[in-house]
Amino acid sequence: MFLQKYMRYKDPKQPINTRIKDLIDRMTLAEKIGQMTQIERQVASADVMKKYFIGSILSGGGSVPAPQASPAIWVDMVNEFQKGALSTRLGIPMIYGIDAVHGNNNVYNATLFPHNIGLGATRDPRWGRCYESYSEDHRVVQQMTDIILGLQGEIPVNQTKGVPYIAGKEKVAACAKHFVGDGGTHNGINENNTIVDEHGLLSIHMPPYYDSIIKGVATVMVSYSSLNGVKMHANRDLVTGYLKSKLHFRGFVISDWLGIDRITSPPGANYTYSVQAGINAGIDMVMVPYNYTEYIDDVTSLVDKRIISMSRIDDAVRRILRVKFTMGLFENPLADLSFADQLGKKEHRELAREAVRKSLVLLKNGNSPNQQFLPLPKKARRILVAGSHADNLGYQCGGWSIQWMGGSGNITTGTTILDAIKSTVADSTTVDYSENPDDSFMKHNDFSFAIVVVGEPPYAETVGDSSDLTILDPGPDTIKTVCSAVKCAVVIVSGRPIVIEPYVPLMEALVAAWLPGTEGQGVADVLFGDYGFTGKLPHTWFKSVDQLPMNVGDSHYDPLYPFGFGLTINSSLPGFSGADSLEHKKQRTILSTPLAVKLHKRNFQRL
């Protein structure tokens, strides 16, 4: 009779630290280094997982098993990789990483929420990743760290501070990024140098990480950027000395995509040095993501030469295993279809629609409080909808939407702002759409009013860096042509404040809609008065790019619209129904903390 040998690490009744120690004691160097390796799904296979003991796979932006892949295709792919990992000697499950920036945004038909700038904003609008953060005010960002509780679960009262917490297999591991100061780079250039003294670092850039760690965040990703000339991927003082030792973070630290390669200039100039510098700085898992054999060979050689110590390797593996045990991956390693019916669920789309409503900021409304232009009447003879962003779901969603850079047109399932307007107005109201009408069109047509929807094209990361921050052509001409001929409301769809001052006098109303995601109905809900405007600017709106950088509190602060600005609608005027007016009276910021949690308690399918 065959009796399977008892292994403590496989026993869920054992304390996690006991399981970690038992497993590490059994592991070879090759198995440990494998755990520290994250590879892209395109180079992964069951055989690769088994041969190299790979600890993690990720889908980069737009990396999918097939166009418009169904949940079943995703699950089958992930489980094929996982079975390779489980077939190894010790059967350590891999962890699958996704760039879920505003929803499970690689997956077709997923609900895409407004980008974070719609739920807050960020520091310098020239930065190409501006929309990925919440605010120029760290206090807003700190509030929004409650997203962690939504993704991972409410943390128990007796939980040790700094230790990751994931409430069960219906939850996912969160990642706080990018550590640290990536939104404060010189001239807002992505991956550039943040020049700041210790007080500025600890008072402006670090506080959201304190909150994230207290709330049990599982992982922290290091920034491509430098701090006072030192690459963050090689910054041992901050990664090990501050994040791990001072803040007592016990999850694992992961590099960014090709992050260690960029320690040198040009990237990859001395890969062995980059591996040495990154791991010795305190990076636990490296997002390789393609040339994993070179990475594994270099780590092995550096350990054999005692340039990287075994204690550093064991620290990294201990942290990775802690997250895997906490997630319950050893007990439930395989994905299934139990959440397949959640994809694009009506309840989730309604929640995203609510988020859109509450993220809209009213910047102008008529020429006096008693001459408000909004809300618009649902009953009108004929209205014009114009602009490049009115009927373009891809533009509405922005970057990190199906593809890394986003796209144009019907990239996924959702409601454009034009379709939302059509479904909101009365049956007797005629809605005409012209993307860029000319003077002749306006002269020969008679409209009650117009809605112009313009903004930025989709982008992500460095591609979005901009020194001029202009509206996508022919947006400015569309505003001039339409608003000179008929009373109009202009809706700006953008990942940050952009140049708008020259056109404000032409329009009756101006709305900042940020990047609202798939649920454009939320825009029409507020334009036509079913709900009131409650959003407040979480980012200063400049007059001219020559003023930048400019943040609230600066001596030269002279904005077009200041941080915290946001008009409301006089509910006593005709046309306002204000279904949530009582709630609006209480709301002072763009999104309350409870809604931040509410938004993200809708779990994405665990892949």
Side-chain angles (χ1 to χ4, degrees), residues 44 50 75 77 81 91 99 105 114 130 134 180 187 189 270 342 353 479 514 522 538 564:
K50 182 176 181 179
V75 166
M77 177 194 71
F81 297 146
D99 281 306
N105 47 249
C130 188
Y134 297 104
V180 58
N187 287 336
I189 299 172
N270 187 339
Q342 302 292 307
R353 177 178 172 181
I479 294 174
W514 313 112

Side-chain angles (χ1 to χ4, degrees), residues 7 43 47 60 65 87 210 343 355 358 381 384 463 492 527 551:
M7 298 182 182
V43 296
D47 289 341
S87 70
Y210 310 153
L343 198 66
K358 292 184 175 181
R381 186 182 56 79
L384 171 66
V463 172
I492 300 295
L527 287 179
N551 297 103

Side-chain angles (χ1 to χ4, degrees), residues 562-592:
F563 174 87
F565 180 83
L567 300 172
T568 56
I569 291 177
N570 185 343
S571 59
S572 66
L573 293 178
F576 180 72
S577 60
D580 59 354
S581 57
L582 288 177
E583 178 184 351
H584 293 163
K585 290 178 182 178
K586 299 176 183 177
Q587 184 147 338
R588 302 299 298 171
T589 57
I590 198 159
L591 276 178
S592 64

Side-chain angles (χ1 to χ4, degrees), residues 42 81 106 141 323 326 471 539 563 571 595:
Q42 296 176 59
F81 297 146
N106 270 354
V141 184
V323 171
T326 301
I471 294 171
H539 200 292
F563 174 87
S571 59
L595 180 59

Side-chain angles (χ1 to χ4, degrees), residues 304-375:
D304 289 342
K305 294 175 181 176
R306 299 188 179 182
I307 295 172
I308 296 175
S309 68
M310 275 306 302
S311 63
R312 173 74 273 269
I313 297 294
D314 286 345
D315 172 64
V317 176
R318 188 177 298 113
R319 291 167 177 276
I320 293 164
L321 294 178
R322 180 175 293 117
V323 171
K324 290 185 176 183
F325 280 124
T326 301
M327 290 184 74
L329 281 177
F330 283 80
E331 288 69 54
N332 297 286
L334 296 178
D336 58 42
L337 290 171
S338 58
F339 286 143
D341 62 349
Q342 302 292 307
L343 198 66
K345 190 175 180 181
K346 182 179 179 181
E347 177 190 3
H348 299 175
R349 294 194 183 279
E350 286 298 316
L351 190 65
R353 177 178 172 181
E354 177 187 352
V356 173
R357 290 196 297 261
K358 292 184 175 181
S359 69
L360 301 179
V361 181
L362 181 58
L363 300 175
K364 178 182 180 180
N365 191 20
N367 296 313
S368 74
N370 295 321
Q371 292 180 330
Q372 297 185 3
F373 188 64
L374 299 179

